[in-house]
Amino acid sequence: MKPNDVLYKNPSIPIDIRVNDLLSRMTLKEKIMQINQYTLGTNNIENNKGVEVKQIPAEIGSLIYFPTDPELRNRMQRHAMNDSRLGIPILFGYDCIHGFRTIFPIPLAQACSWNVPLFEKGCRVAAQECRMSGVDWTFSPMIDVSRDPRWGRVAESFGEDPYANATFGSAAVRGYQGRNMSDSLSIAACLKHYVGYGASEAGRDYVYTEISRQSLWDTYLPPFEKCVQAGAATLMSSFNNISGIPSSANHYTLTEVLRKKWGFRGLMVSDWGAVEQLVHQNMARDLKEAGQLALNAGVDMDMMSHAYDTYLETLVDEGKISTSTLDEAVRRTLRVKFQLGLFEHPYTPVSKAEDRFLRPQSVAAARQMAAESMVLLKNEHQVLPLKQGLKILVTGPVADATHDLLGCWWGHGEDGDIEKLNESIQKEFGSQAEVRYIKGCDFDGTDERQFKQVEKLSRWADIVITCVGEKGSWSGENNSHADIALPTIQRHLIQCVKASAKQLVLVLANGRPMIITDEVAMADAVIEMWQPGLYGGSAVAGILSGRINPSGRLAMTFPYSQGQIPIYYGRRHSARPHQGFYKDQTSEPLYPFGYGLSYTTFAYGEPKTASHEVKAGDKFDVIIPITNTGQRDGLETVFWYVSDPYGKITRPAQELKHFEKKLIKKGETVDFVFHVNVNRDFGYVDSEGKRFVEPGDIMIFVGDKKLKFTIK
Ligand code: NOJ
C-alpha cells in the first residue's frame, strides 16, 4: 500500500476524515497516550522544573520541549514516527510568553503600548523563532483579567480590562497562528488560563476564586470568547476553583459554554498538574477520580498529572469514562496536529541560530515595543527631556541589571543581549552630558555602604536618574506579594538621593503596579519602564534625551496604597456616590487606568455622529478630531468608553469598547473613529451569557467629551 492509500496519511483529504480514519485504527492504549503531555529537556523556570523524561513512549501525544535547537526534537520525533505502530507525530509545546530569543517587554507592558499591530508583529517574530527551533505550540496568550497587583501573574496579562485582554489576545492568536498554522513560520496559540484565574483571592496564586455567573460573563469570559472567535487552536484549563467547582473539573465552563455555546473544536490542555490538584482542592478523592472528573468535564489533555496515563484504561473499563468522550479528546488532539501539518512535516529543518534569531526586523519590532510600552507618569516643570550639557548621575540596582529586565518568563533570551540602562544612557548622551554611575544598593538586603558616595555624587550632579524596581523573579507564577511597595533598601536609596540631589528622575522596572506614592512625591519625573526585554536601555535613554516621545498608557491602575487593593476603573456604581470613601486617605488611585504623559499636548475636538437615536442592530460611526497642540510629533491613544446610566442588570460605571493609537504630527489634526455596533457595544450579557439591548439612554465617553444616545 502507498502512504496515500491510507486515508490519514493523505494530505489531500479533509482533516476531519483523516482524524476519524486514524482514530478508527487506534487501540485504547494508543488513544490514551495521545492525550498526555510530558516534558523533554530542562526548563529554566524553577517553579515548573519537571523530571526529565528519559524513556518517553513513542506514542506520547505531546511534550513540553525546552531547548533552542531542534536536534533533540527531531530525535524524539523520529522515535515517535518510526517506533510507534501508527507513526503519529508528537506535538511540541513551550512557554513562549513574550518572545523566544528576541525578548519583548512583559505582556503587561506591551498592553501599555496599545499598539495592537505592533504587538501582533511581535507574536509573528516569536512564532517564527519557535517553529524554526522545533516548537509547534506556545502556551500563550494569557488573557486573565487581572485586577490585583499582589498576584504575580499580572505581569503576564494585558491588565485589568476585559476588552484589552480580548483585543491583545486575538492579536496574539493571529500573530502566532498566521494565515495557516501548517506553514513553517506559524505555531498554535493557547488561551490561558480558562477561566477566572485572575480573580485569585487576595492576590494569592492557586487559591479559591469567588466569581458570580454575572461576573464570569461580564469580566472573565469575554476575552476567551473573542479569542475563540479569532480561531485559537487550543486553550488551557486553569488552577483556580470557581465558586466551588474547580475550573479543571468545571463542566459548565469547559463544555456547556466553550463547546456547546461557542462551538470550540480545538484542544483543551490542563495546566501543569491541574488534574492532580483536584485532589488538593477537595473535589476528587484521589488521582483516579481527578482524571475521571477532568476528562468528563472537558479537559482533553493532561499536562504532567499522570492521571490519564495511569487510570484511563481502568476508568474506561469501569464505564466511568465513555469511549465517545475519550475519542472526542483524542480527535481534538489529532486535529491540531493535522492543522499544524505535522503528519507531512514532522521534523524541523536544522538552521543556523543566526538565521533564526534576532533578525534585524525582529530586533526593530522589539525595540519599538520597548519604546512604546514605557509610561511617563510624572514630569514636573518639563524636567524631561533632559537639557544638553548636564551632569547626570545614574544610580540604583536596575541601572546595571540585565537578566532582571527580562521579567518572569524569558524563553531563551540571553543576558548578553540585554542593554544595560547605565551604558545606554552614557551612549545616548555621549559628549552632550557628563554621565557618572554608581549602583548604590542591591534590589534587596541591607547593604547601604555606598550611600555616602551616592550622596556626594548626587550633590555633584544636576540631575540623578535613580533606577529601581523588582527582580524578574518577583512576579509571575507562584509570586504573590502581600507588600508591593519598593523594598526598604531601595526606598532608602531614593531618600538618600533626594536629600542631596537638585533634581530626581525615577525609572521603574517592575512586573506589577507597585505602591510608589511616597517615592513619586519625591521625584521630579517618573518613567515606568516595566521589564522591557532586551532593548529597554536604549528606549529609556531615548525618552530621557527626547529622541523618543513617550506614548505608553497604563493598562492597570496604580493604587495609592495597599489597602485600596483591588482597585480598577471598571467598578459598578456605589449606592452612595457621595459617601463610603476611606476616612483615613484618598479613595482615588495614584494613577488610573489609561494614564500616561507625552512631551506634546493633544486637544480633543467635538465628536460627530449622524444621529443620537439608535436601535438594536444599528451600526454607526462616532468621529473625534484630535489636534496635536504641542511642540513635537506624538502618538496618541484614544480610549472609547460606554456607560449605561441604569438597567435591568447594573453595569460597570464605564466599559472600554474601543481604542486606537495614531501618530499626530505637531500642529496637525487627525480623526479617530469608533465604529459602534449597538448590539455589541451598547448591549450586555446576563448571567447565562445571553446578550440583549435595553431601550433607554446610554453614554459614550472619549477624553473629556461625552455623548448621549437614546436606544429606541
Ligand atoms: C504552569 C503555568 O500556570 C502555565 O501558565 C504554564 O503554561 C505551564 N505551567 C507550563 O509551563
Side-chain angles (χ1 to χ4, degrees):
M1 247 209 293
K2 290 191 235 98
N4 278 3
D5 295 340
V6 178
L7 283 188
Y8 80 86
K9 291 191 177 166
N10 187 341
S12 59
I13 284 175
I15 285 180
D16 280 344
I17 299 178
R18 298 176 75 187
V19 167
N20 282 333
D21 175 63
L22 177 52
L23 190 70
S24 71
R25 297 167 192 266
M26 293 169 80
T27 63
L28 180 59
K29 278 205 172 83
E30 285 166 342
K31 287 179 185 175
I32 290 171
M33 281 320 295
Q34 271 309 299
I35 55 172
N36 279 280
Q37 184 178 60
Y38 299 168
T39 59
L40 179 69
T42 311
N43 189 355
N44 52 13
I45 302 290
E46 199 53 47
N47 191 59
N48 283 354
K49 206 155 257 176
V51 182
E52 188 167 345
V53 183
K54 294 281 190 319
Q55 294 293 324
I56 297 170
E59 294 76 18
I60 189 74
S62 177
L63 290 168
I64 303 187
Y65 167 77
F66 298 120
T68 52
D69 171 349
E71 197 261 334
L72 178 60
R73 169 209 166 97
N74 288 345
R75 218 167 352 115
M76 184 64 222
Q77 193 73 297
R78 222 166 277 123
H79 178 41
M81 301 306 287
N82 300 339
D83 305 341
S84 71
R85 197 175 62 87
L86 295 163
I88 304 176
I90 296 168
L91 176 60
F92 291 87
Y94 180 69
D95 285 287
C96 176
I97 307 299
H98 48 115
F100 185 79
R101 173 70 194 281
T102 306
I103 306 301
F104 285 68
I106 55 170
L108 181 59
Q110 297 202 55
C112 295
S113 78
W114 300 99
N115 188 336
V116 179
L118 178 62
F119 172 73
E120 185 175 328
K121 205 190 261 184
C123 294
R124 256 344 267 144
V125 170
Q128 169 260 311
E129 293 188 354
C130 276
R131 195 74 192 251
M132 289 181 78
S133 306
V135 174
D136 313 306
W137 180 24
T138 178
F139 305 126
S140 166
M142 180 178 128
I143 49 173
D144 295 307
V145 171
S146 305
R147 294 177 167 177
D148 191 327
R150 292 170 298 183
W151 191 49
R153 304 208 77 167
V154 301
E156 303 171 53
S157 80
F158 304 111
E160 72 187 45
D161 181 71
Y163 180 76
N165 276 283
T167 306
F168 282 102
S170 339
V173 171
R174 294 192 299 271
Y176 291 138
Q177 297 189 177
R179 282 211 189 84
N180 185 349
M181 279 199 303
S182 70
D183 71 44
S184 59
L185 302 176
S186 297
I187 53 177
C190 181
L191 312 176
K192 71 188 192 185
H193 305 83
Y194 190 70
V195 56
Y197 187 29
S200 280
E201 222 172 45
R204 284 189 53 207
D205 213 354
Y206 312 115
V207 299
Y208 181 69
T209 53
E210 180 52 61
I211 311 175
S212 69
R213 278 281 165 94
Q214 186 62 42
S215 299
L216 197 61
W217 279 102
D218 271 344
T219 306
Y220 297 101
L221 285 172
F224 287 92
E225 184 173 14
K226 185 151 171 194
C227 295
V228 163
Q229 282 163 5
T234 77
L235 271 81
M236 184 184 289
S237 73
S238 54
F239 292 127
N240 57 300
N241 182 342
I242 310 171
S243 294
I245 312 289
S247 55
S248 293
N250 198 309
H251 193 266
Y252 177 72
T253 52
L254 292 169
T255 296
E256 286 161 55
V257 174
L258 180 67
R259 304 289 178 185
K260 297 197 181 144
K261 216 170 156 70
W262 297 346
F264 177 65
R265 297 186 80 223
L267 169 68
M268 172 67 71
V269 65
S270 79
D271 201 343
W272 186 300
V275 177
E276 182 192 8
Q277 289 160 25
L278 295 174
V279 178
H280 309 306
Q281 288 171 315
N282 289 80
M283 170 84 339
R285 188 177 309 122
D286 51 27
L287 187 59
K288 180 179 168 196
E289 195 183 29
Q292 177 191 334
L293 290 171
L295 189 56
N296 280 334
V299 175
D300 302 313
M301 184 180 278
D302 172 358
M303 182 194 287
M304 290 306 288
S305 283
H306 293 287
Y308 289 7
D309 53 4
T310 316
Y311 294 109
L312 275 194
E313 215 176 324
T314 322
L315 286 166
V316 171
D317 282 352
E318 291 171 357
K320 290 181 176 149
I321 299 274
S322 68
T323 316
S324 66
T325 300
L326 173 64
D327 282 358
E328 197 44 43
V330 179
R331 235 181 238 121
R332 291 169 185 155
T333 306
L334 295 175
R335 195 178 289 126
V336 175
K337 296 186 180 191
F338 281 110
Q339 287 169 336
L340 282 160
L342 295 181
F343 284 83
E344 287 66 63
H345 304 288
Y347 306 110
T348 305
V350 176
S351 55
K352 290 200 208 105
E354 58 266 36
D355 294 336
R356 264 179 289 154
F357 301 140
L358 303 169
R359 292 169 166 187
Q361 66 273 33
S362 311
V363 170
R367 282 190 183 289
Q368 191 185 340
M369 186 49 98
E372 289 201 25
S373 58
M374 293 182 187
V375 186
L376 180 64
L377 294 174
K378 183 173 181 183
N379 194 14
E380 293 264 290
H381 312 300
Q382 269 73 50
V383 51
L384 298 181
L386 298 177
K387 323 270 166 309
Q388 294 196 350
L390 293 180
K391 287 187 278 185
I392 301 173
L393 174 66
V394 180
T395 187
V398 167
D400 81 334
T402 51
H403 189 72
D404 288 301
L405 299 184
L406 297 183
C408 50
W409 293 100
W410 62 93
H412 292 284
E414 290 188 7
D415 295 358
D417 294 329
I418 300 164
E419 295 176 348
K420 288 188 182 182
L421 264 63
N422 58 356
E423 291 174 4
S424 299
I425 294 171
Q426 290 268 4
K427 196 161 152 211
E428 181 82 24
F429 289 93
S431 56
Q432 304 302 317
E434 195 181 335
V435 182
R436 292 200 197 161
Y437 160 72
I438 178 167
K439 183 167 177 175
C441 67
D442 237 320
F443 279 92
D444 50 7
T446 52
D447 186 353
E448 298 188 353
R449 278 175 299 174
Q450 288 189 2
F451 278 23
K452 280 239 141 20
Q453 189 62 10
V454 169
E455 254 177 63
K456 197 166 145 210
L457 286 169
S458 296
R459 237 172 271 117
W460 160 84
D462 296 310
I463 193 151
V464 184
I465 320 260
T466 309
C467 309
V468 291
E470 291 188 302
K471 283 188 174 175
S473 59
W474 290 354
S475 53
E477 191 186 344
N478 194 20
N479 271 304
S480 303
H481 283 208
D483 182 357
I484 55 166
L486 284 165
T488 311
I489 188 152
Q490 296 193 52
R491 297 211 313 270
H492 285 173
L493 176 71
I494 296 166
Q495 287 156 10
C496 160
V497 170
K498 177 69 187 169
S500 35
K502 295 173 200 73
Q503 285 185 311
L504 165 63
V505 177
L506 279 186
V507 174
L508 290 156
N510 39 318
R512 52 158 63 82
M514 300 188 79
I515 304 298
I516 47 168
T517 308
D518 293 344
E519 290 69 35
V520 165
M522 285 187 254
D524 297 281
V526 181
I527 300 170
E528 174 54 80
M529 77 181 290
W530 303 109
Q531 286 152 342
L534 300 182
Y535 307 114
S538 51
V540 161
I543 290 176
L544 290 168
S545 74
R547 176 173 52 80
I548 295 167
N549 185 358
S551 63
R553 304 282 183 273
L554 296 179
M556 205 171 162
T557 303
F558 270 56
Y560 179 88
S561 69
Q562 320 250 12
Q564 288 186 332
I565 300 170
I567 180 166
Y568 52 93
Y569 87 90
R571 294 184 304 273
R572 283 177 156 82
H573 287 284
S574 155
R576 290 194 179 181
H578 57 291
Q579 283 186 323
F581 303 107
Y582 295 117
K583 295 285 184 198
D584 56 338
Q585 59 174 238
T586 176
S587 297
E588 292 302 313
L590 180 64
Y591 293 117
F593 177 85
Y595 182 82
L597 303 171
S598 166
Y599 291 155
T600 186
T601 46
F602 301 102
Y604 284 48
E606 275 317 308
K608 298 184 269 295
T609 187
S611 164
H612 289 264
E613 289 200 350
V614 297
K615 56 180 183 332
D618 279 359
K619 289 182 180 167
F620 63 95
D621 288 350
V622 186
I623 302 168
I624 187 160
I626 297 181
T627 306
N628 182 339
T629 48
Q631 293 311 307
R632 52 178 299 170
D633 300 349
L635 289 156
E636 174 67 339
T637 300
V638 174
F639 298 93
W640 300 82
Y641 297 93
V642 163
S643 175
D644 193 343
Y646 56 88
K648 271 202 287 258
I649 301 170
T650 64
R651 308 297 308 150
Q654 293 204 345
E655 292 173 272
L656 182 67
K657 294 291 177 180
H658 178 58
F659 62 86
E660 197 181 3
K661 186 176 196 178
K662 284 187 192 175
L663 176 72
I664 312 181
K665 295 222 167 97
K666 172 180 147 186
E668 246 183 27
T669 300
V670 169
D671 282 346
F672 285 68
V673 186
F674 177 14
H675 303 291
V676 182
N677 170 332
V678 169
N679 292 21
R680 184 192 61 197
D681 302 315
F682 289 172
Y684 59 89
V685 287
D686 66 12
S687 58
E688 281 307 315
K690 193 169 148 295
R691 179 162 287 277
F692 58 93
V693 178
E694 230 180 346
D697 291 346
I698 196 147
M699 314 293 295
I700 289 183
F701 289 89
V702 53
D704 54 352
K705 309 290 175 202
K706 73 178 172 197
L707 295 92
K708 185 167 151 194
F709 293 85
T710 306
I711 307 174
K712 287 287 175 193

